[in-house]
C-alpha cells in the first residue's frame, strides 16, 4: 500500500534501491459530482439488494409490489451475497452486522517460480476468509504488463483464479494520463473492481509538480471517477502520524479529506506501533468530517533487519519500549517473531475493543506464519470457512451468476476458469443453457497458475525415476490414494490431474479407491453419494446454513481396453441405474446418456431458495476435458523422461490405448453400486468362460 | 372425422339436416417439393432428438462431437419426450417400440354448458392416455369463430387447457382460399399443430367443381403444404369399403394415394364392421405404395337408433349377423351397448393380433362409457398414467419447455394457463428468469373453461342457502375436507378455489386439515413434505421412472387478522425453518422470504438428468394470485346471495378483513412442523396472558 510503502515493502526484498520516501499531499477541492453519484448509488444498491430478512408490514400495495418486482428480481439464486456486493457494500454490511474482518497485503514476486508460490499462498491464506487482499504496484516491475510477475497479472490471478476480492494498487506520478487510463481499462477488463489510488515514489532527485499532470493521489482519484464513473471502489492511504513530508499533521489530515471528498470509498492506514496512535488519528479524521471506513494497517514485526530497514525508509519512529525488547534478542529470529505476534495481537485487541475498528489490514510481507498466527489468536481466522458452492468460485464480476460447472475439472478449477475465460455468459442454472459452450484451448501447459508446484526431480521421485510396466503406474496411483510411500520411500502428494493431496471427501472412499487402483482402475476423480446431509456438514457441506446437500456417487478413471470390454458387459446389468461415458484419445465415445443431457451430480436445497445444482456430468464438456486429461499424461508425466526411454513409452502407451471412463450411480439414496460394478468387471475378467 | 361423417356424426345430435354424403376424390399429382422437405425434416429431427439410449460406439471424433454439440444441446431437460415430438414422430416411436395406442374423436357441442361438460370429459378421458384426440369441423356451427362452441375453440381448449395432442378437422369445399388460410393461421396461433384435411359436405343440391378452388381434400393438403410448409401434421380420410360415391374401390384407393403423396402424414379410416374389411384395405393400400400409418376408425355401437341413422347416412351396410343380434333387443339400450362393446373389443383384438395395427381411433359420439369400457377391456386405458410433471401440462408448442409454475394455481391450472397465455417465453428452469412475469387479468370469471360445472342451486346447497356467521363458512370448508355432508345433508364436492374433489395427495393431510378448518384456518392449498419417494409412487410420483421426488410441506389458507397476529408471534420461533407470505386484499404484505426469491417446494432427481423443480412459491406471483383468490370469494360465493343479504355480507366481510397466508416448512426431511405452528397459534390465542 501507501505511496510511501510501495517502495518500502518491495525494498525489503533485495531489489535495486529507488528513492523510497515521498509525500502524498493533495489539492483542495469540494466534493465532486461523481462522488455524489457514488453516494447515491450506494444507498440505492443497499435498498434494492438488502440482506435483510426481517418482516415487512409496510403496506406493499400492488403498485408497491410492482416496483419491487422490477428491481429486486434476481436472475439467479443469490446463494452467496458476497458474490453480488461490491467491496464497500460488504464492508458496510459486515460493520452493520457487528462482524469483524481482516484483509491481507501482498507485493508482486520477482520470479515466475515465486509467482507460482504466491498463488498457492493466496489459496492457503484465502481459506482463512480475508474480506479482501491487495497487491502493491511495483513501478520497477513493469506493473501493468502481462508478465506473470506484474502487479496487474498477480491481482488478476487473485480475483479470477483464487476467487479473492482484490484491490490493485496504482500510482500516478511519472505517468501519462493515457498510461494510467490504459492500466485502469485493463484492470476493468480483467475483472478487477477496486483500486488503491496512490501518488507513488517520484523517480529522480529533482521531482517537480507537473502542470495538468498527476502529481498527487487526489488527482488519480478524480481521474478514476471522471473516466470510470462509479465502476471502481477506491481506497486511499492515511498516515496516523502524518506523512513524514507533510507541512503538519493537520495539513496531512486535510489532504486526506480531499482525497475522500474526491471520491474515495475508504482509507487504509500506514503502519503504526501503538493503538493510541490510530485511535487519535481516527478521532481527528472524524472531527474534520471524514466519515468513510478507516482501516488500521497492522505490521507484525517479523525480524530485526526488516524492522530496521522499515524504520530507515518510513521515517517512523520505533517506540523505546519495543526497541528495549528487541535489541537483546536481535539474533533470535523466532523470539523476535513471537514477540511481534504478541505485540500485534495485543494492539489488535485494543483496537477492536475500542469499538471504533471493525477490520484490520495486515502487511504480510508475502509471509504466512506471523499473520496467520495473529489472526488465529484473534479468532478472526475462519478455520473452516463455509463453502458457498462445492467448487472454488471466481471473483470476476461476470462470474457472479456462475452456479454450475462440469465435475471433470473438480481438481483443476484454475484450468476450468482459464478455459472458460472468454465466455460472455455463465450458465445461470442449467448447464444446457450455456450459449457458448466452446472451451478455450490450454495452449501452454505451463501457464503459471496451473504449473505444478513441484520441480521435476521431486515429481520423478514421486512418480518413478524409471517405469518398468503399466503396473508401476498403477502403484503410483495407489500410493497417491493411500498416502503410503512408494517403493523408493517417497510419498506421492500430487498427480498430473490433482495438484493437491486428496480431498477430505475423497478420503471417505479411500479403501475402495486403493483396491481398484491396484488393479488398474486409475482413478482421477470421485465423490461418494450423499442423501441429504446438512449444508453445514464439515466434509461435504456447502451453501447457506439450514439447507441439505445431496450427491450422486461418481467415479472417473483411466483403464485398459480389456477392462473396458468387460465393464461394458457388466454395465448392461446396471443399464437403468448407472450412466456412463467411455472415451479414448482418438475420440471413440461410448455412452448411455440420454440425448447428451447433463446429469446433475451435486445439488442443494436451502430455505427459501430455488434448487442449486452446482455440479453436472456434462457429456459435451467431457469431450473437451478428455483432451486435457489425456494430454496431462504426456505433458506432465511422459516428458519427465528421455524420448524413446522405456518409461516414456509406457506412459505413451497408456495415453494411446487406455480409455477415460466416468460412471454415475443415479440411485443416490441406496448404497453406492459403482464399487460393485468394478468388482463384477474383475470377476468377469477372471472367470474362465469370459471372452 | 371424414368429409363424409362431419355431417354424419353431428347429425346424430338433433341438428338441422344438411346434405350428408359427398365423395372425396383427389386430383392426380406427383409428390410435391414441400413433401420432400417434410420427409427430410422428419429424418433430421429423429437424428438429433432420438429417444434412443443405446450405446454409441461410432467413433465420435472431436469434429463429430462438435457437430453434436451444436445440434443436440437441449435448452431444458427433456423430461417428457412426448412434449417435444410432433404427432407423426410420436406415432412412429410408439410403433417402433411395439406400443399400442388409441385416439378419440369428438364433435363440437351445441351450447356453452355442453362445452363446459365436454371439457370435463376431455380431462377425464385424457387421463386414459390417448395419443391424440380430434375435433370435427362443424360448418353449421361457425367452426372457425371465437364462440366457446366452435370447432376452433374446442380444439384450442383441448390443446392448451387439457394438454391433449389434438387434431382439428378442416373442410375446404364452399370456402375461399383466404377463409381457409385464415383458419389455418388462427389454428397455428392457438398452438394447434395437426389438421385433418377433408373436403366436407357441399352445401346445396347442385354442387359443381370450382376452377382453381378447393374441390377435394387433396387441394387442401397441397394448400397447407404450400402455405405452411411442414408446420402442420396432416391427416386424411380413408374408406375401407371405398367411398360410396367413388367410381370404384380401386379409383378411391388411387385418390387416397394422391392425398398422401401431396403431403399427408397418416390416414384415419371411416368406420367398418368387420376386421377383414380393414385388413384387406390396408393390404391394398400397401400394394399401391401407400406406406404411411393407417389407423382404423372404430365405432362401438351404442344404440339402435344411432346405428340406423348411421346406416342411412353413410350408406354403409350393416352385416346380417349384427342385424340379427340387434333387432330382437332394439328397445334395450343397455343390452345393445353391451353387445356393441363386445363386438368392438373382439374386432379390435383381431386387428391388433394381425400385427398390422398399432393404434385404434374411436368415434366416441362425445360419450364416455362404451369407449372407455372397450379400452379397458383391451388393456389400452392407462388406469394410472404417469404424470410428466406434478401439474397438468399444456400441449401448446411454446409451452413445451415450461417446467416450473407457482404452486398457487395448483387447483386452478386452467386459470394459470389463461393468465400466462400472452407470455412469449416460459421459465426454462428458474422461475426468476422469466422475462415477462406479468399475469393477464381474469376479466371474465365465467370463461367457459374455468366455469364451475355446478349450477347455482347446487352451489347454494353445498355452500349454504343462508350463512349466519363466519363459523358457518368454517363448516363449509370443513365439510369439503372431510367429505361429510353439511348440516343440510349435502356433500361439498367443490369450492371456489377447487373445482374438483380433494387430490389424493391432500387426503394424506385430511385429519390435520379438518382440525384447523374447524377453527378458522380456511385452507385452500396444501401439500405434505416428501423426502425422496420413488418417481413412480402412485400418489406423489411424477416424471420418468427411476427417479426420486421431494416436496417441502406447504399450507395456504385464509384466516382472520386476530389469528394472523398470534401466528406472527409464533412464527418468530420458526424463523429459520418456516418461510411465510401473509397478504390481505388491500395489499399489505408480510414476509420473511429472502430478497423476494422463489422457494422451490417440489423437485425431482432423475437418472441422467438435471434437477427438475416444477413448483415454486414465488413471492411476486403470489400478489397476482392473491387478487384472484380474494376475488373468488365475491365472484363465486358472495354473488350467490342477494345484495345486502346477511349471507353476502358475511362473505364480503371475510373478503375485506381476512388474510391469505402461505407457509413453507423448509426442513423437508423432518416431520412437517406447520401443524405445530398452527397449534402454537391457537394455544397463544387461548392463553390468558396473550395480548
Amino acid at each position: 500500500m501507501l505511496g510511501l510503502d510501495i517502495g518500502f515493502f518491495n525494498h525489503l526484498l533485495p531489489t535495486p534501491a529507488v528513492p523510497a520516501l515521498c509525500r502524498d499531499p493533495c489539492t483542495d477541492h469540494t466534493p465532486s459530482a461523481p462522488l455524489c453519484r457514488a453516494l447515491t448509488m450506494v444507498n440505492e444498491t443497499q435498498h434494492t439488494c438488502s440482506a435483510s430478512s426481517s418482516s415487512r408490514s409496510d403496506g406493499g400495495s400492488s403498485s408497491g409490489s410492482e416496483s419491487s418486482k422490477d428491481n429486486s428480481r434476481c436472475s439467479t439464486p443469490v446463494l452467496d451475497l458476497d458474490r453480488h456486493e461490491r467491496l464497500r457494500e460488504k464492508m458496510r454490511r459486515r460493520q452493520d452486522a457487528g462482524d469483524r474482518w481482516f484483509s491481507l497485503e501482498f507485493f508482486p514476486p520477482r520470479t515466475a517460480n515465486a509467482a507460482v508460490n504466491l498463488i498457492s499462498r493466496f489459496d492457503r491464506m484465502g481459506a482463512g476468509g480475508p474480506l479482501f487482499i491487495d497487491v502493491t504496484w511495483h513501478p520497477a516491475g513493469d506493473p501493468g504488463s502481462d508478465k506473470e510477475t506484474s502487479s496487474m497479472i498477480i491481482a488478476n490471478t487473485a480475483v479470477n483464479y483464487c476467487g479473492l476480492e482484490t484491490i490493485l494498487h496504482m500510482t500516478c506520478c511519472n505517468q501519462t494520463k493515457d498510461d494510467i487510463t490504459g492500466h485502469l481499462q485493463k484492470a476493468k477488463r480483467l475483472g478487477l473492481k477496486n483500486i488503491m489510488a496512490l501518488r507513488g515514489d517520484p523517480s529522480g532527485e529533482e521531482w517537480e509538480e507537473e502542470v495538468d499532470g498527476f502529481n498527487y493521489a487526489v488527482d488519480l482519484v478524480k481521474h478514476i471517477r471522471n473516466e470510470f464513473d462509479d465502476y471502481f471502489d477506491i481506497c486511499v492511504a492515511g498516515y496516523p502520524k502524518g506523512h513524514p513530508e507533510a507541512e503538519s499533521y493537520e495539513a496531512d489530515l486535510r489532504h486526506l479529506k480531499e482525497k475522500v471528498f474526491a471520491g474515495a470509498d475508504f482509507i487504509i492506514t500506514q503502519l503504526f506501533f501503538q493503538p493510541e496512535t490510530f485511535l487519535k488519528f481516527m478521532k481527528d479524521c472524524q472531527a474534520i468530517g471524514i466519515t468513510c471506513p478507516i482501516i488500521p494497517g497492522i505490521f507484525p514485526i517479523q525480524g530485526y533487519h526488516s524492522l530496521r530497514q522499515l524504520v530507515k525508509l518510513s521515517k517512523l519512529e520505533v517506540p523505546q519500549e519495543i526497541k528495549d525488547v528487541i535489541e537483546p534478542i536481535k539474533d533470535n529470529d523466532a523470539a523476535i517473531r513471537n514477540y511481534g505476534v504478541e505485540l500485534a495481537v495485543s494492539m489488535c485487541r485494543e483496537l477492536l475493543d475500542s469499538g471504533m475498528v471493525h477490520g484490520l489490514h495486515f502487511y504480510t510481507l508475502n509471509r504466512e506464519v506471523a499473520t496467520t498466527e495473529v489472526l488465529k489468536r484473534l479468532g478472526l481466522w475462519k478455520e473452516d470457512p463455509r463453502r458457498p458452492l462445492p467448487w472454488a468460485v471466481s471473483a470476476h464480476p461476470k462470474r457472479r451468476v456462475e452456479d454450475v460447472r462440469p465435475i471433470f475439472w473438480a481438481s483443476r478449477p484454475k484450468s476450468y476458469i482459464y478455459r472458460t475465460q472468454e465466455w460472455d455468459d455463465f450458465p445461470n442454472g442449467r448447464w444446457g443453457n450455456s450459449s457458448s459452450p466452446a472451451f478455450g484451448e490450454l495452449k501452454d501447459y505451463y501457464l503459471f497458475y496451473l504449473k505444478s508446484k513441484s520441480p521435476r526431480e521431486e515429481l520423478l521421485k514421486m512418480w518413478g525415476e524409471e517405469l518398468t510396466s503399466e503396473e508401476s503406474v498403477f502403484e503410483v496411483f495407489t500410493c497417491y490414494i493411500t498416502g503410503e510411500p512408494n517403493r523408493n520411500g517417497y510419498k506421492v502428494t500430487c498427480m498430473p490431474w490433482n495438484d493437491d493431496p486428496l480431498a477430505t471427501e475423497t478420503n471417505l472412499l479411500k479403501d475402495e479407491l486403493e483396491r481398484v487402483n491396484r488393479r488398474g482402475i486409475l482413478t482421477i476423480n470421485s465423490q461418494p453419494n450423499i442423501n441429504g446431509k446438512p449444508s453445514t456438514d464439515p466434509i461435504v457441506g456447502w451453501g447457506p446454513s439450514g439447507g441439505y446437500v445431496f450427491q450422486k456417487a461418481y467415479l472417473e478413471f483411466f483403464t485398459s481396453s480389456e477392462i473396458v470390454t468387460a465393464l461394458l458387459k457388466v454395465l448392461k446389468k446396471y443399464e437403468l441405474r448407472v450412466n456412463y461415458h467411455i472415451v479414448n484419445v482418438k475420440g471413440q465415445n461410448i455412452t448411455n446418456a440420454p440425448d447428451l443431457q447433463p446429469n446433475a451430480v451435486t445439488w442443494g436445497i436451502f430455505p427459501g431458495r430455488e434448487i442449486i445444482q452446482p455440479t453436472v456430468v456434462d457429456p459435451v464438456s467431457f469431450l473437451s476435458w478428455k483432451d486435457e486429461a489425456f494430454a496431462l499424461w504426456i505433458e506432465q508425466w511422459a516428458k519427465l523422461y528421455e524420448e524413446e526411454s522405456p518409461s516414456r513409452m509406457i506412459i505413451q502407451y497408456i495415453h494411446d490405448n487406455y480409455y477415460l471412463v466416468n460412471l454415475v450411480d443415479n440411485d443416490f439414496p441406496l448404497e453406492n453400486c459403482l464399487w460393485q460394478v468394478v468388482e463384477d468387471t474383475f470377476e468377469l475378467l477372471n472367470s474362465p468362460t469370459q471372452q
Side-chain angles (χ1 to χ4, degrees), chain A residues 516-559:
Chain A
V516 303
N517 275 281
R518 277 195 200 289
R519 295 154 91 182
I521 299 276
L522 307 178
T523 59
I524 60 170
N525 197 352
S526 59
Q527 69 175 23
N529 57 319
I530 301 293
N531 186 16
K533 289 243 184 179
S535 59
T536 48
D537 183 277
I539 297 177
V540 298
W542 53 272
S545 60
Y548 295 91
V549 297
F550 293 80
Q551 292 179 181
K552 291 180 180 176
Y554 179 74
L555 193 59
E556 183 180 335
F557 54 86
F558 290 100
T559 202

Side-chain angles (χ1 to χ4, degrees), chain A residues 546-608:
Chain A
Y548 295 91
V549 297
F550 293 80
Q551 292 179 181
K552 291 180 180 176
Y554 179 74
L555 193 59
E556 183 180 335
F557 54 86
F558 290 100
T559 202
S560 67
S561 64
E562 187 196 7
I563 291 178
V564 162
T565 305
L567 176 65
L568 278 169
K569 284 181 192 155
V570 168
L571 283 170
K572 287 210 177 81
K573 274 203 310 183
Y574 295 85
E575 184 67 27
L576 294 173
R577 179 160 178 184
V578 175
N579 279 116
Y580 55 86
H581 293 88
I582 302 178
V583 299
N584 65 6
V585 75
K586 300 172 204 87
Q588 193 186 352
N589 187 1
I590 312 166
T591 179
N592 68 342
D595 302 314
L596 291 185
Q597 285 192 59
N599 189 350
V601 291
T602 306
W603 63 100
I605 318 296
F606 300 95

Side-chain angles (χ1 to χ4, degrees), chain A residues 423-438:
Chain A
W423 290 13
D424 291 328
D425 293 309
F426 283 86
N428 56 357
R430 298 197 174 272
W431 183 254
N433 267 353
S434 162
S435 54
S436 164

Side-chain angles (χ1 to χ4, degrees), chain A residues 405-436:
Chain A
R405 288 187 189 169
I407 195 171
F408 318 120
W409 282 269
S411 299
R412 291 174 61 78
K414 292 186 175 67
S415 161
Y416 181 74
I417 291 166
Y418 176 80
R419 298 190 63 180
T420 59
Q421 65 185 347
E422 299 301 328
W423 290 13
D424 291 328
D425 293 309
F426 283 86
N428 56 357
R430 298 197 174 272
W431 183 254
N433 267 353
S434 162
S435 54
S436 164

Side-chain angles (χ1 to χ4, degrees), chain A residues 473-539:
Chain A
V473 173
F474 301 176
E475 263 183 52
V476 176
F477 277 83
T478 308
C479 290
Y480 175 69
I481 295 294
T482 60
E484 301 291 317
N486 65 16
R487 63 173 61 186
N488 299 314
Y490 294 100
K491 288 202 177 187
V492 181
T493 58
C494 68
M495 291 292 282
W497 306 269
N498 306 67
D499 206 26
D500 294 305
L502 277 194
T504 334
E505 181 189 53
T506 315
N507 270 313
L508 300 175
L509 308 173
K510 207 165 168 174
D511 293 346
E512 291 88 348
L513 287 169
E514 177 188 348
R515 205 164 57 238
V516 303
N517 275 281
R518 277 195 200 289
R519 295 154 91 182
I521 299 276
L522 307 178
T523 59
I524 60 170
N525 197 352
S526 59
Q527 69 175 23
N529 57 319
I530 301 293
N531 186 16
K533 289 243 184 179
S535 59
T536 48
D537 183 277
I539 297 177

